[in-house]
Amino acid sequence: MSETAMRIEVFKTYKLYVGGKFPRSESGRVYEVTDTKDQWLANAPLGTRKDTRDAVLAARAAVKGWSGTTAYNRGQVLYRVAEMLQGRREQFTAEVAAAEGLGAKKAAALVDAAIDRWVWYAGWTDKVAQIAGGANPVAGPFFNLSTPEPTGVVGVVAPRTGHGFSLLGLVSVVAPAIATGNTVVVAAAEQAPLPALSLGEVLATSDVPGGVVNLISGRTADIAPTLASHQDVNALDLAGAIDLEGPGAAAALEASAADTLKRVVRPAADPSAVDWTASPGTGRLLSFLETKTVWHPMGI
Amino acid sequence: MAKTDKKTAQPVQPAKPSGLFEYAPAPESPAAAGEIATSYGHFIGGRFVDSSGSEALKTVNPATEQVLAEFAQGTEEDVDRAVAAARKAFAGWSSLPGSERAKYLFRIARIVQERSRELAVLESIDNGKPIRETRDVDLPLVAAHFFYYAGWADKLDFAGFGPNPRPLGVAAQVIPWNFPLLMLAWKVAPALATGNTVVLKPAETTPLTALRFAEICRQAGLPDGVVNIVTGDGRTGAALTAHPDVNKVAFTGSTPVGRAIAKQIAGTRKKLSLELGGKAANIVFDDAPLDQAVEGIVNGIFFNQGHVCCAGSRLLVQESIQDELLDALKRRMGTLRVGDPLDKNTDIGAINSAAQLARITELAAAGEQEGAERWAPECELPGAGYWFRPTLFTGVSQAHRIAREEIFGPVLSVLTFRTPAEAVEKANNTPFGLSAGIWTEKGSRILWMANRLRAGVVWANTFNKFDPTSPFGGYKESGYGREGGRHGLEPYLNVEALDV
Amino acid sequence: MSTLAANAPGAPGGGLADVAASEATLRRFLHGLPGVDQVGLEARAATLGTRSIKTTAKAFAIDLAISMIDLTTLEGADTVGKVRSLCAKGLNPDPTDRTAPQVAAICVYPDMVETAKTALRGSDIQVASVATAFPSGRAGMPVKLADTAEAVAAGADEIDMVIDRGAFLSGRYLEVFEEIRAVKEACRRPDGSSAHLKVIFETGELQTYDNVRRASWLAMIAGADFIKTSTGKVAVNATPPVTLLMLEAVRDFRAATGTQVGVKPAGGIRTTKDAMKYLVMVNETLGDDWLSPHWFRFGASSLLNDLLMQRQKLRTGRYSGPDYVTVD
């Protein structure tokens, strides 16, 4: 082989991530994903309502195991995600650069921030009960203790705008939900799903049990309403619900979620102004928790 | 096979794993401990340095009495150098973003996990504790501790100590020999997470894992001077805690030494936390889950050869079940396997030092002299090394020395009580207050008892459980300050109002 | 059986039959047993599971385990041919090594007892038969007793009965007690001797450890020769903690009554490593007195071949493979 011979690159087939496996969409359809300059990047699976339903099933099945594992173990798993992501930094830098129209350096900084965000939440798993729970000094001979417990299955409409939305934004909404023991079904950013679909590959190799995170690419207007109306979804993060009207609009989704009184995190007032590199605080971490208070008498 | 003779009368006797099924030796390889140098200096400013003095101490394998290595007796000058290195590193370390400090600690946690077998074997060799324990208890907890506090490093604003908790500065840390690496983790992890730098002195009988930890700090790329390790005996420790440029003193060890340190630093601005001795009551009611209570009693006093400050060294048993419980306890003690710490089937290893063995022997003799009845199972002890059979004293009263003084060995004193109130009274009737145990199936009684026990940790239907998220520390003369959990941050933080 | 004999120390039931004088006394007795702390029990079983059994100890334990196996086939598809080949396997587990011990028993459905008995003629291997509408136990008493009597008449040396878990869980202890007594009676042969009675609790259905301890005492008082964890037909079968608890029960029962009862974990024990853990539990809870096939059995099928492969490894130094043990 001569040194100048051209080598044909191997393209990656992007797939959904559901229940720890990588299925194609049941629709058998894909859609074109382009960079911000309309250059074709890849075909992404066009996930459907049925794919979303399958994902909810997988997420529900994973709740018992994931919420039942120790907080320490969950922390180790989330930290492992950071380690794996660190190892694929170059790949994600390229994907984020293409997704958000950024230079390599800025994209790399966003990937680094996404890695660090996993580390941040890895540290929260075994501390959230210590800031969100505690002993209550009730007036009487009772031991009284409040502890937070995960809500269950969280539907996530992944961020679609804001600096760093494609990977850092995604991590910033997925990690806090699973850190506390929830499982998630994510409607990936419709126009830029590739970092999300690749993140599935990282999760699959990071000791995250199958079904804890499920990633669906496709039309947000199909997937998000399915999640909002699904009776076996307990909460909804509408970070990326940026449609102003139609079934994918935040208000419509929130109204639909109200049927089963899902816990809802609304999108930012101006989603395009969100800077996902900003320190996340504890808002999302505490959003998908139920507080359980136990009373027990004290006596001989 | 003769299967028809089952009607043969079976004698009623306690079971013992005797004759038939003898476990063949299952020794862990000492070579797994990695290379042990013939002599060690201190770890100061990111590298190993010689002592300014010429005095060297020896650390021996207490199971064989063989010398493992020589190490430096730290001088005042050595201490001064170490504190200076820590001071120099403090500015940079404390001004690092918490998220970056966190990543160093996560790295340490991971390297400890990776090297856990090596560290477990080394710890077992230097300390005498069974490999099963270092492998299954010490090392997992060490890693978990670093992992837990790593996560706090960038979350201090959420820890409930006000809006701007700040590090104290240089922490002087002096640790004991009973859990050498675990006590290091309990000290170093929260100190570093909160932005302090440390000078740590390991015990003079168990310096090796701390010195090995220095290598881990280097592998983790920890900035020079953030962790400094100075070896030596009590003189070195006193020089360290007395050093005028340390801001924080943390000590785990005996109550007399803790008291001396508290006097020594009186009038300074040094913040002090002490984790000292104990004489815990393990209280068993007649409605206890008996088999598990027996396990809990055994674990409470014979875990780590009884070298545990929170050991359940006083068994308070309700009179109505005394005989039944003691029979079961003796039967269970008969199955304890005493011997080679590196054998994976050993339950009780070697006493850490000749001096400690002498103290245990002396106190046990005092128990007999004062009229308590001594019992120990038959078990063969190795010829060389320091050994003490698991021992039980019955007929003990609160006045006996073995009921009042910390023995720090595998010796259990059994007392009785009749009512919950009497149990509380006896349990609290000690200057110590580190831990207590309660065994009953009745939940409300557990909480009623726990409410009245003057002890920093109360275990119910379990004993000697540790977790990085759970605060540990004593009441009364068992010390003050807490290690572990959110509470374990406070001893390393300046939480006073900003002077602005 | 005279009253005297029934209450003598060493007699079946350990002379504790009085506690079953009424539903109330039986309930009081069973509920007066010490509670079981789940976490503590499971921790103890797990700790014993970390024992390292090597070289000579392993060789001893492997042979002991083989000799304790109730080699079992309990399938709807069982045939005479299948049972015969299983018997051949039990008689001669490793054709390449005649020093391999024989198993303790062959365990089959009642209609296969005769086949097994014939195949095993002249050997010490026992024939065990499940009975009493195994595995569910959902049949009337006449059916259960007939089931038992038929197996005994066909030559069964041992009967593995199931208790009525429904009755137990709804607190009808006396009913369960009497059922065991009746089956025990049905185990009698015309010559006055009796088939050995193993009582299966289906611990996976009893769910709590407190229930398992109560069931253990209930069965022992009723005259069980063996207490057995499971049928192997439900989701949760023998586990180390549940077996440890039953070992503690037979230990305490002998201390209280002088009567020794055997223990048989069944279902889910597939590897040599598993078997070692169980033997360690027996060793450290009960000691030598129970370390024989008279007093401890494994209800298993695939376990045997794994033991044989490990045995070959010890003998030859090479790891064996499934092609080098016989499949029957």
Side-chain angles (χ1 to χ4, degrees):
Chain A
M1 203 203 305
S2 82
E3 283 183 18
T4 52
M6 195 166 104
R7 181 183 170 275
I8 303 299
E9 220 180 292
V10 177
F11 283 178
K12 178 161 100 183
T13 307
Y14 284 89
K15 295 187 180 181
L16 307 178
Y17 180 54
V18 176
K21 295 190 162 60
F22 295 95
R24 298 170 199 270
S25 166
E26 63 85 31
S27 69
R29 296 173 61 194
V30 293
Y31 66 105
E32 292 193 359
V33 178
T34 62
D35 65 12
T36 50
K37 298 190 182 87
D38 274 346
Q39 294 296 306
W40 180 83
L41 291 169
N43 296 325
L46 187 71
T48 62
R49 292 186 182 92
K50 184 157 178 298
D51 288 318
T52 308
R53 190 195 63 182
D54 290 346
V56 171
L57 274 177
R60 174 58 62 194
V63 166
K64 192 172 173 216
W66 182 241
S67 63
T69 192
T70 63
Y72 176 53
N73 260 336
R74 283 203 302 275
Q76 301 251 307
V77 170
L78 264 58
Y79 186 75
R80 184 73 178 154
V81 177
E83 290 181 340
M84 293 290 105
L85 198 52
Q86 178 81 53
R88 295 171 67 162
R89 183 174 179 269
E90 310 312 320
Q91 176 202 338
F92 278 95
T93 298
E95 285 181 345
V96 168
E100 300 190 36
L102 297 170
K105 207 171 159 192
K106 277 189 178 165
L110 288 174
V111 174
D112 289 345
I115 297 166
D116 287 359
R117 193 128 306 168
W118 281 110
V119 176
W120 161 262
Y121 284 112
W124 267 122
T125 58
D126 54 7
K127 296 173 189 70
V128 66
Q130 298 183 307
I131 65 153
N136 310 306
V138 295
F142 296 96
F143 175 84
N144 185 294
L145 188 75
S146 295
T147 35
E149 292 187 354
T151 295
V153 175
V154 181
V156 173
V157 182
R160 294 164 69 189
T161 54
H163 181 55
F165 75 92
S166 67
L167 179 66
L168 175 59
L170 174 72
V171 171
S172 300
V173 294
V174 168
I178 66 170
T180 52
N182 298 288
T183 63
V184 298
V185 177
V186 182
E190 181 173 343
Q191 84 283 17
L194 302 187
L197 297 177
S198 290
L199 183 67
E201 295 158 19
V202 169
L203 298 171
T205 52
S206 303
D207 308 328
V208 179
V212 170
V213 178
N214 304 277
L215 299 158
I216 311 285
S217 57
R219 287 190 204 100
T220 308
D222 284 343
I223 301 165
T226 308
L227 290 171
S229 64
H230 199 301
Q231 302 221 351
D232 207 25
V233 170
N234 305 104
L236 215 51
D237 187 330
L238 298 179
I242 57 172
D243 292 357
L244 295 177
E245 52 194 30
L253 294 169
E254 187 177 341
S256 173
D259 278 342
T260 53
L261 296 176
K262 292 179 178 62
R263 288 82 175 111
V264 174
V265 172
R266 293 175 177 145
D270 180 1
S272 63
V274 172
D275 179 358
W276 289 101
T277 64
S279 177
T282 55
R284 279 202 153 76
L285 187 73
L286 301 179
S287 292
F288 306 117
L289 291 173
E290 310 295 322
T291 298
K292 176 176 288 172
T293 299
V294 178
W295 291 69
H296 196 302
M298 297 191 282
I300 54 175
Chain B
M1 264 189 287
K3 287 193 193 295
T4 49
D5 63 351
K6 99 160 247 292
K7 296 284 183 238
T8 315
Q10 297 294 324
V12 181
Q13 63 187 16
K16 276 184 80 168
S18 53
L20 281 178
F21 189 10
E22 290 275 16
Y23 304 156
E28 175 62 275
S29 163
E35 199 178 331
I36 301 174
T38 49
S39 77
Y40 286 93
H42 308 300
F43 182 69
I44 295 175
R47 56 201 187 92
F48 282 98
V49 298
D50 290 335
S51 170
S52 71
S54 57
E55 190 180 347
L57 305 177
K58 292 181 171 68
T59 181
V60 303
N61 179 339
T64 62
E65 299 178 55
Q66 280 170 342
V67 174
L68 294 165
E70 286 195 349
F71 61 98
Q73 164 65 24
T75 63
E76 286 192 20
E77 199 183 325
D78 296 338
V79 168
D80 202 45
R81 272 198 294 167
V83 172
R87 175 61 60 197
K88 190 173 163 209
F90 176 68
W93 182 247
S94 60
S95 59
L96 267 186
S99 57
E100 302 304 299
R101 282 205 308 275
K103 284 189 278 187
Y104 282 115
L105 288 169
F106 278 120
R107 283 184 185 175
I108 290 173
R110 285 303 216 204
I111 297 171
V112 167
Q113 286 177 328
E114 287 163 5
R115 298 178 65 172
S116 65
R117 178 165 178 234
E118 166 199 347
L119 292 164
V121 175
L122 184 63
E123 190 82 303
S124 180
I125 289 173
D126 201 18
N127 171 280
K129 63 172 69 189
I131 184 69
R132 184 165 70 81
E133 182 191 319
T134 57
R135 181 194 67 196
D136 296 346
V137 181
D138 296 44
L139 264 299
L141 278 173
V142 169
H145 227 82
F146 277 104
F147 207 90
Y148 177 76
Y149 279 106
W152 271 123
D154 52 5
K155 300 176 181 66
L156 298 174
D157 289 344
F158 300 92
F161 300 112
N164 185 24
R166 289 146 288 150
L168 295 164
V170 174
Q173 306 182 317
V174 178
I175 57 171
W177 46 261
N178 58 341
F179 294 92
L181 195 59
L182 182 57
M183 291 299 102
L184 175 149
W186 281 25
K187 295 280 180 291
V188 171
L192 263 46
T194 46
N196 300 279
T197 56
V198 307
V199 179
L200 175 120
K201 188 199 85 70
E204 67 267 29
T205 60
T206 55
L208 295 184
T209 45
L211 292 164
R212 192 66 57 87
F213 179 76
E215 288 177 22
I216 290 174
C217 292
R218 286 211 293 216
Q219 283 188 339
L222 196 69
D224 294 348
V226 171
V227 169
N228 305 276
I229 293 166
V230 178
T231 56
D233 61 18
R235 293 167 289 166
T236 310
L240 177 57
T241 56
H243 196 285
D245 200 32
V246 306
N247 308 93
K248 159 76 193 176
V249 173
F251 171 75
T252 296
S254 75
T255 293
V257 174
R259 194 177 283 126
I261 292 173
K263 281 185 199 288
Q264 181 194 50
I265 68 163
T268 69
R269 305 294 297 168
K270 295 173 189 173
K271 192 166 178 171
L272 178 63
S273 47
L274 298 170
E275 202 268 272
L276 308 175
K279 195 71 196 175
N282 206 356
I283 304 165
V284 183
F285 286 95
D286 61 5
D287 64 349
L290 268 191
D291 289 306
Q292 288 73 50
V294 168
E295 287 309 314
I297 294 163
V298 166
N299 180 45
I301 186 61
F302 302 123
F303 171 65
N304 203 39
Q305 297 70 248
H307 302 330
V308 186
C309 45
C310 51
S313 52
R314 285 184 297 154
L315 174 62
L316 289 182
V317 54
Q318 194 159 10
E319 271 187 29
S320 51
I321 52 156
Q322 184 187 10
D323 293 345
E324 189 183 348
L325 184 73
L326 287 180
D327 283 351
L329 181 58
K330 286 176 179 175
R331 179 181 61 214
R332 175 68 177 88
M333 284 171 69
T335 68
L336 288 169
R337 305 172 64 87
V338 186
D340 180 7
L342 285 186
D343 190 305
K344 291 170 195 162
N345 292 326
T346 292
D347 298 320
I348 299 184
I351 301 301
N352 178 251
S353 66
Q356 188 57 29
L357 179 59
R359 174 169 169 77
I360 298 167
T361 308
E362 193 261 323
L363 271 164
E368 279 182 289
Q369 274 159 23
E370 292 184 337
E373 192 181 328
R374 180 174 184 161
W375 183 88
E378 288 302 321
C379 59
E380 246 178 80
L381 299 179
Y386 316 126
W387 308 93
F388 199 90
R389 289 195 291 168
T391 299
L392 181 78
F393 278 98
T394 50
V396 180
S397 83
Q398 289 284 82
H400 290 157
R401 281 183 71 197
I402 53 170
R404 305 200 63 75
E405 294 181 31
E406 186 175 38
I407 300 173
F408 224 62
V411 181
L412 178 65
S413 301
V414 182
L415 299 89
T416 60
F417 69 91
R418 293 156 298 174
T419 64
E422 185 184 3
V424 168
E425 193 178 14
K426 283 187 167 167
N428 286 342
N429 182 16
T430 163
F432 296 113
L434 191 49
S435 67
I438 307 166
W439 298 83
T440 168
E441 288 269 273
K442 186 165 175 177
S444 61
R445 186 189 294 145
I446 290 171
L447 296 169
W448 185 92
M449 294 286 295
N451 206 22
R452 281 157 182 77
L453 289 167
R454 303 274 296 158
V457 181
V458 178
W459 286 292
N461 294 332
T462 187
F463 208 91
N464 272 345
K465 287 281 176 289
F466 308 95
D467 191 280
T469 67
S470 178
F472 182 91
Y475 279 38
K476 301 193 279 187
E477 291 190 24
S478 289
Y480 40 72
R482 291 293 177 267
E483 295 183 294
R486 190 180 61 78
H487 299 76
L489 296 166
E490 195 269 347
Y492 291 94
L493 288 173
N494 178 358
V495 294
E496 287 161 29
L498 278 169
D499 305 320
V500 277
Chain C
M1 201 180 277
S2 74
T3 316
L4 186 67
N7 287 324
L16 278 176
D18 285 355
V19 305
S22 72
E23 184 77 59
T25 53
L26 185 57
R27 163 181 294 273
R28 255 200 308 278
F29 178 83
L30 295 177
H31 286 249
L33 293 165
V36 185
D37 184 74
Q38 176 188 352
V39 176
L41 174 69
E42 290 175 356
R44 174 67 178 149
T47 302
L48 287 172
T50 67
R51 290 290 190 220
S52 181
I53 305 303
K54 302 285 182 207
T55 59
T56 52
K58 188 169 182 181
F60 170 82
I62 285 174
D63 279 8
L64 182 61
I66 292 171
S67 76
M68 288 172 159
I69 289 179
D70 281 5
L71 194 59
T72 301
T73 184
L74 294 169
E75 303 298 332
D78 282 347
T79 57
V80 167
K82 163 77 184 172
V83 170
R84 276 190 194 138
S85 66
L86 196 71
C87 290
K89 174 87 176 174
L91 283 164
N92 185 14
D94 187 348
T96 69
D97 181 1
R98 299 279 161 177
T99 66
Q102 295 180 343
V103 300
I106 301 293
C107 184
V108 293
Y109 272 114
D111 63 336
M112 290 294 162
V113 168
E114 210 172 321
T115 305
K117 200 67 195 166
T118 309
L120 295 169
R121 186 164 294 143
S123 79
D124 288 327
I125 299 180
Q126 310 286 293
V127 173
S129 171
V130 297
T132 69
F134 180 95
S136 73
R138 297 254 64 87
M141 267 310 280
V143 175
K144 293 184 186 182
L145 294 178
D147 198 19
T148 307
E150 191 180 301
V152 173
D157 303 291
E158 305 177 351
I159 296 294
D160 289 25
M161 71 169 285
V162 291
I163 64 164
D164 181 343
R165 284 84 77 188
F168 184 93
L169 289 172
S170 57
R172 306 198 307 274
Y173 298 133
L174 196 59
E175 195 175 315
V176 180
F177 177 87
E178 280 165 355
E179 185 176 32
I180 297 170
R181 290 284 285 254
V183 174
K184 173 96 178 165
E185 200 55 36
C187 287
R188 293 238 260 172
R189 305 189 186 96
D191 68 358
S193 66
S194 274
H196 245 67
L197 181 61
K198 306 198 195 96
V199 178
I200 305 171
F201 302 145
E202 201 70 293
T203 51
E205 290 183 352
L206 298 189
Q207 295 256 329
T208 71
Y209 291 120
D210 288 326
N211 276 343
V212 173
R213 173 169 281 172
R214 288 169 190 157
S216 299
W217 279 82
L218 174 66
M220 292 188 291
I221 295 167
D225 297 304
F226 256 79
I227 52 177
K228 174 175 169 184
T229 60
S230 323
T231 61
K233 302 289 185 192
V234 295
V236 179
N237 294 293
T239 64
V242 96
T243 306
L244 175 59
L245 177 57
M246 288 163 62
L247 296 173
E248 289 169 352
V250 299
R251 175 198 70 199
D252 295 343
F253 188 74
R254 188 178 73 169
T257 67
T259 298
Q260 185 163 341
V261 173
V263 178
K264 176 178 171 185
I269 305 166
R270 295 192 180 87
T271 65
T272 302
K273 203 171 173 182
D274 289 341
M276 297 294 109
K277 289 180 185 180
Y278 283 89
L279 291 179
V280 163
M281 286 197 299
V282 175
N283 194 35
E284 300 203 26
T285 311
L286 301 170
D288 290 355
D289 292 351
W290 268 267
L291 279 174
S292 92
H294 299 177
W295 302 110
F296 193 78
R297 295 279 181 85
F298 291 107
S301 39
S302 59
L303 171 64
L304 178 57
N305 272 351
D306 195 64
L307 286 164
L308 292 172
M309 284 194 284
Q310 291 289 329
R311 201 172 181 279
Q312 289 175 3
K313 158 72 172 64
L314 284 182
R315 201 183 63 206
T316 65
R318 292 176 309 196
Y319 288 105
S320 186
D323 289 350
Y324 300 91
V325 288
T326 56
V327 178
D328 281 296

